[in-house]
Amino acid sequence: MSLSSSTPKFRVAICGAGIGGLVLAITIGKFAGHSIHIDLYEAHEAITTAGAGVGISPRTLEVIKELGIYEEYSRVANKPSSSSLGPTLRRSNAPQGGVEWFRQKLTNAPSHIHRQHLVEILEQFLPSSCTLHFKKRLTRYDEQPSGSLILHFADDGTATTDLLIGADGIRSSARKTLFETLNRDVVDPTKIGHYIDPSWTGTLVYRAIIPAKKVSEIDPNNIALKDFTVFCGMGKNIITYPVAQGTQINVAAFVRDDQKAGTPFEGHWVTDVSCKELQELYQDFEPDVRNLLKCSETTSRWALHVVNELPLSANGRVALIGDACHAMTPYFGAGAGQAMEDAFVLGRLLAHPLTTLDNVPAALKAYQDVRLPFVQFLARESQRAGHMVDIEPPSTDEDNAHVQANLDTQKEKVLAQFDWASKGGAVAEWLEAERKFQESIGLTDGQYENGCIVDVVRTLSALNV
Ligand code: FAD
């Protein structure tokens, strides 16, 4: 076997051309060239995305820079405004007028981008080693005795691949087959349904993109026009930030009912609803919110589901990334970023010169061991963060010292929640995963460095060459 070869060393099928699947294809293409053939299967007839904003943390920005797409990204992304490097949180459940609770100063504030713009940039950067297949909805896969996988699609077609990455979102078919076919020693059979089926959080999220011009015509000083803002109430809050160079305002309005968490949600998870439905829900909020929502033109309502904490994200030659593996509540605005970080770490491992078809399971395990604990920690913290912005309405009573003290404590807790964004990063995680991978195939630090084999004999022997 030679370490470099003109024929692809293996074929990878990525199911799902969302943000995670696209970044995975780009990463593999950038770092492996044509040594890995990629088939990217997408259920829809085009690369589409439900249009709203995404926040990109500095950790995730590392991925965008490493992939060489930062120039295109920064042309359309909204940087954090200089007056406020993080969101302003307001006590907004006061129809007469809200008050600022506190302004979060972050050294690690996210930039924001319209989701459609991000997807368009990613599509441009797909490598020539990637073949896109549209209208290909994976339904299940079978493992062959040789180790290769047969993919089955909703149109009755099949395809063969050497490894499969499920990037197929919260209702992942790859996750379903993975857990249905796992050895019963690896996973408790009574919990399989719990791993396959997402859970409703009891929360509805109303999403809208509102033209900034329309808002400024009726309320030129509306807070949402300028800054990344969280309008807080009790069980209800709205996150807004400008996108598309300030010409639009992204709105995510949450309505939470904890009693309903874990109960089945009846009906479609995503539905277009009348703007009036959203406006009425926030009638008890401050005028800036009511004026903002008055300008909404279309609104969709999302029943917020999450993937329950999984015991693994890789097995044999199959792995899950992004929402397929850890769809989380969006209170940190981190889901898309984490899908990108998964994709980057996994893509670099697959593209690694020492990765062969034989040791692919070790590469997938290194990905799992580095990424899964972090994303699951983030999912738990994000869930907690959703409750932390619950806030009593402002009051004019004089006996408010204790309320203020509570708010100060609550503020410190909210601030501490965002520590994750400045810890580690996608590149550090990739290096950690590389170290784990090398260790698992019998190489120690120093035998393979910076793309060079330091100890040829031991390296070839570790690779069974
Ligand atoms: P998806 O975006 O779901 O993509 C999956 C792709 O797979 C789709 O193209 C789909 O058509 C395709 N597909 C599905 N099934 C199949 C199949 N069987 N076969 C083939 N293809 C298939 N994240 C952030 O980072 N920042 C934010 O500000 C933010 N805000 C959010 C607000 C709300 C209200 C919600 C609900 C989520 C938010 N998120 C945010 C989370 C973010 O949207 C997701 O985490 C992210 O889109 C996950 O990307 P993905 O590629 O893993 O999955």
Side-chain angles (χ1 to χ4, degrees):
M1 190 200 93
S2 106
L3 284 176
S4 72
S5 154
S6 57
T7 51
K9 57 181 182 177
F10 48 75
R11 294 159 301 173
V12 55
I14 304 171
C15 278
I19 288 169
L22 291 169
V23 170
L24 180 60
I26 296 169
T27 309
I28 297 173
K30 181 169 174 72
F31 293 99
H34 283 264
S35 72
I36 298 177
H37 179 77
I38 308 161
D39 286 297
L40 180 52
Y41 297 100
E42 167 54 45
H44 289 113
E45 58 190 0
I47 295 178
T48 55
T49 178
V54 259
I56 300 290
S57 72
R59 286 181 53 103
T60 305
L61 212 52
E62 284 184 7
V63 172
I64 287 174
K65 288 179 180 162
E66 288 286 307
L67 295 181
I69 57 184
Y70 182 66
E71 205 182 313
E72 285 72 10
Y73 174 85
S74 56
R75 221 176 278 144
V76 282
N78 272 58
K79 287 169 200 63
S81 84
S82 52
S83 60
S84 153
L85 289 174
T88 299
L89 284 84
R90 294 182 61 79
R91 300 174 76 187
S92 298
N93 43 356
Q96 303 311 318
V99 288
E100 186 172 310
W101 178 16
F102 66 94
R103 182 166 278 212
Q104 198 169 358
K105 296 277 179 203
L106 294 171
T107 47
N108 50 22
S111 48
H112 292 111
I113 186 165
H114 195 300
R115 191 177 283 257
Q116 186 62 38
H117 297 163
L118 177 60
V119 163
E120 279 163 14
I121 295 171
L122 295 176
E123 194 174 356
Q124 270 173 45
F125 278 82
L126 280 176
S128 54
S129 54
C130 173
T131 309
L132 253 169
H133 308 263
F134 289 116
K135 295 209 265 184
K136 284 288 180 189
R137 179 176 290 279
L138 181 79
T139 52
R140 66 184 171 88
Y141 63 84
D142 294 324
E143 200 179 325
Q144 299 297 99
S146 64
S148 63
L149 302 156
I150 310 283
L151 310 179
H152 296 262
F153 297 99
D155 63 1
D156 290 334
T158 57
T160 307
T161 186
D162 294 319
L163 62 142
L164 165 66
I165 310 303
D168 47 349
I170 186 164
R171 295 203 239 202
S172 167
S173 300
R175 183 176 75 245
K176 184 169 188 292
T177 308
L178 176 63
F179 280 92
E180 280 172 350
T181 55
L182 264 181
N183 191 319
R184 295 303 185 244
D185 299 340
V186 178
V187 66
D188 175 355
T190 63
K191 294 194 84 177
I192 288 170
H194 175 77
Y195 299 136
I196 293 174
D197 300 325
S199 287
W200 185 35
T201 56
T203 297
L204 296 173
V205 192
Y206 292 80
R207 305 180 83 182
I209 293 272
I210 298 180
K213 191 163 176 281
K214 209 169 158 188
V215 181
S216 59
E217 275 164 16
I218 63 160
D219 186 3
N221 296 319
N222 194 295
I223 297 156
L225 285 168
K226 292 179 265 317
D227 273 335
F228 177 12
T229 308
V230 185
F231 298 94
C232 306
M234 262 298 174
K236 283 195 282 192
N237 56 74
I238 304 194
I239 300 175
T240 70
Y241 49 81
V243 288
Q245 308 291 5
T247 57
Q248 297 172 332
I249 302 168
N250 179 73
V251 174
F254 297 80
V255 181
R256 207 182 70 232
D257 182 348
D258 290 334
Q259 303 293 322
K260 292 188 177 153
T263 63
F265 180 81
E266 307 297 341
H268 292 296
W269 290 9
V270 182
T271 337
D272 288 336
V273 292
S274 73
C275 299
K276 208 160 169 264
E277 178 174 330
L278 171 59
Q279 289 156 9
E280 278 172 4
L281 282 164
Y282 281 89
Q283 275 313 310
D284 56 341
F285 266 47
E286 62 179 307
D288 287 60
V289 170
R290 299 202 307 273
N291 285 338
L292 173 70
L293 298 184
K294 241 185 247 166
C295 299
S296 53
E297 294 175 341
T298 54
T299 306
S300 56
R301 188 185 65 204
W302 299 49
L304 189 62
H305 284 72
V306 291
V307 169
N308 297 309
E309 206 161 278
L310 303 179
L312 49 84
S313 56
N315 185 55
R317 292 196 198 166
V318 179
L320 306 171
I321 64 169
D323 274 15
C325 170
H326 48 71
M328 61 181 81
T329 57
Y331 302 113
F332 284 154
Q338 289 311 303
M340 292 167 80
E341 293 185 27
D342 282 351
F344 178 73
V345 172
L346 178 58
R348 295 243 30 193
L349 283 163
L350 294 178
H352 197 287
L354 296 181
T355 304
T356 63
L357 191 51
D358 286 343
N359 64 30
V360 150
L364 299 190
K365 183 156 186 322
Y367 151 75
Q368 167 190 283
D369 290 351
V370 168
R371 289 292 302 157
L372 194 61
F374 179 71
V375 288
Q376 292 186 337
F377 156 79
L378 215 54
R380 286 192 293 271
E381 289 300 297
S382 170
Q383 180 75 23
R384 279 184 349 112
H387 290 70
M388 275 189 189
V389 290
D390 271 354
I391 196 165
E392 296 290 349
S395 151
T396 49
D397 289 356
E398 289 303 311
D399 71 342
N400 259 347
H402 74 283
V403 174
Q404 196 51 52
N406 285 348
L407 283 171
D408 289 346
T409 315
Q410 196 174 341
K411 168 185 153 184
E412 292 311 317
K413 286 186 185 162
V414 172
L415 290 173
Q417 284 253 301
F418 282 83
D419 279 357
W420 67 270
S422 52
K423 285 197 184 118
V427 173
E429 285 182 357
W430 138 242
L431 292 171
E432 173 63 6
E434 183 191 39
R435 191 190 60 70
K436 281 182 185 286
F437 169 59
Q438 288 179 193
E439 227 172 68
S440 69
I441 60 167
L443 293 179
T444 51
D445 268 359
Q447 283 175 341
Y448 185 86
E449 277 170 10
N450 300 325
C452 299
I453 295 168
V454 176
D455 183 336
V456 176
V457 174
R458 291 192 58 185
T459 303
L460 293 179
S461 119
L463 288 171
N464 270 338
V465 177

